[in-house]
Amino acid sequence: MKTRFLLIFWLMSSLLILISCKPGRNNELAQRVYELEQIGSAEAEPDEIREIRKDINHWEKELNDAISAGKNTGRYYRVLGLKFLDYKMYAPARDSFSRAIEITPENGRLYYYRAVTLSRLAVLRDNDEEKLAELALAEKDYLKAIDLEPKYMSPYYSLAILYIYELSRPFEAGPFLEKYLKVERSDGRALLLYGQLLEQMDQPEKAMDQYTRLLSLSGYSAEKEQAALYLNRIREDSF
């Protein structure tokens, strides 16, 4: 009996693998446990197999319940964080996203939203040291979001904004804007921003390409009006 409980304890460490498997796998596992117990024994006891299977099913149900509860808790904190963000309650939003990240640490969008809250909190700080610390954390979270979900474009643009306007490191924004615009090709704000950045980097021809691309978009926008002015200025300066 003692051996059986020790074996069951050992098997609990592998039950997470079984959770996604077919129900028949429990029967197979119980049979294997029983065979291990019966090494050196001449007789088989099907009742003991059923008892082991019952113990396994009990613990599997508890693990399933715990996993479901964890997933629900993660969703709860994510939704709560978004609500706090909507109401501009940035500190509790940050804390909610942090709790959600503890539960689902591979979700890149949670890092993105936490970075948004951190950057907005930083802007409100009077203390420069606290502001820089939070901006550094925001940068780290944006980069983590990109690493986890490279096809999710929002962190690329937001990180570029952070580099240009908050961290005063505008030239680091270039690669992120470029990648962003490969996907979000009609984002007028990003096209205008990238054109301005290229001008700062003394690349007027590439800046003109961005402004021209922006002007080719349909409809009117304030960004298009600015792009036309910048384009004319570059042309005049080139003469």
Side-chain angles (χ1 to χ4, degrees):
M1 183 64 69
K2 181 178 179 181
T3 302
R4 178 168 64 82
F5 283 113
L6 288 173
L7 283 166
I8 291 171
F9 177 78
W10 171 77
L11 285 165
M12 288 308 100
S13 64
S14 62
L15 263 176
L16 287 174
I17 299 173
L18 290 173
I19 288 172
S20 61
C21 298
K22 296 179 180 179
R25 289 296 301 275
N26 281 355
N27 296 342
E28 179 186 344
L29 180 59
Q31 180 66 42
R32 288 172 60 195
V33 172
Y34 175 75
E35 288 171 357
L36 286 171
E37 288 187 326
Q38 294 304 312
I39 293 175
S41 174
E43 296 184 1
E45 296 181 15
D47 288 343
E48 190 161 355
I49 293 177
R50 285 193 290 272
E51 192 173 347
I52 293 171
R53 187 185 305 122
K54 181 180 177 181
D55 288 335
I56 290 172
N57 287 335
H58 169 74
W59 285 105
E60 182 179 8
K61 182 180 182 303
E62 289 203 2
L63 283 172
N64 271 318
D65 291 344
I67 289 170
S68 296
K71 288 179 179 178
N72 289 335
T73 302
R75 283 193 290 268
Y76 165 78
Y77 279 114
R78 181 186 63 196
V79 172
L80 186 62
L82 290 171
K83 286 295 182 183
F84 280 134
L85 192 55
D86 286 342
Y87 285 101
K88 297 181 171 54
M89 300 171 67
Y90 300 129
R94 173 203 58 202
D95 295 341
S96 296
F97 291 129
S98 294
R99 292 295 300 275
I101 286 170
E102 289 176 7
I103 297 167
T104 52
E106 299 302 311
N107 187 325
R109 301 189 185 211
L110 293 175
Y111 289 93
Y112 165 71
Y113 284 117
R114 187 170 69 176
V116 170
T117 62
L118 285 165
S119 61
R120 293 183 184 178
L121 273 173
V123 171
L124 300 174
R125 299 295 186 196
D126 293 326
N127 184 293
D128 288 341
E129 187 174 339
E130 290 179 356
K131 179 177 181 178
L132 288 173
E134 284 181 330
L135 289 174
L137 290 173
E139 177 189 10
K140 183 178 178 181
D141 273 356
Y142 282 135
L143 290 170
K144 183 68 173 179
I146 290 169
D147 180 59
L148 289 173
E149 295 190 43
K151 293 183 179 180
Y152 180 47
M153 290 294 107
S154 294
Y156 291 89
Y157 181 75
S158 296
L159 182 56
I161 293 292
L162 190 76
Y163 282 139
I164 293 170
Y165 294 113
E166 302 300 339
L167 292 174
S168 299
R169 290 151 50 191
F171 296 161
E172 293 182 47
F176 296 99
L177 281 173
E178 185 176 2
K179 288 179 182 178
Y180 177 80
L181 285 167
K182 284 181 179 179
V183 177
E184 303 294 338
R185 300 179 60 83
S186 60
D187 189 326
R189 298 170 308 159
L191 286 166
L192 185 67
L193 184 64
Y194 193 31
Q196 291 172 303
L197 179 61
L198 289 167
E199 281 196 78
Q200 282 186 268
M201 297 170 67
D202 198 25
Q203 299 182 43
E205 294 83 5
K206 289 185 177 180
M208 289 176 69
D209 290 341
Q210 303 307 312
Y211 297 144
T212 302
R213 182 172 155 189
L214 173 52
L215 290 171
S216 70
L217 300 178
S218 60
Y220 168 81
S221 69
E223 289 84 10
K224 290 180 72 172
E225 190 172 323
Q226 286 182 280
L229 292 173
Y230 296 156
L231 191 59
N232 288 332
R233 185 192 62 212
I234 294 174
R235 286 170 176 164
E236 290 173 0
D237 290 344
S238 64
F239 288 109

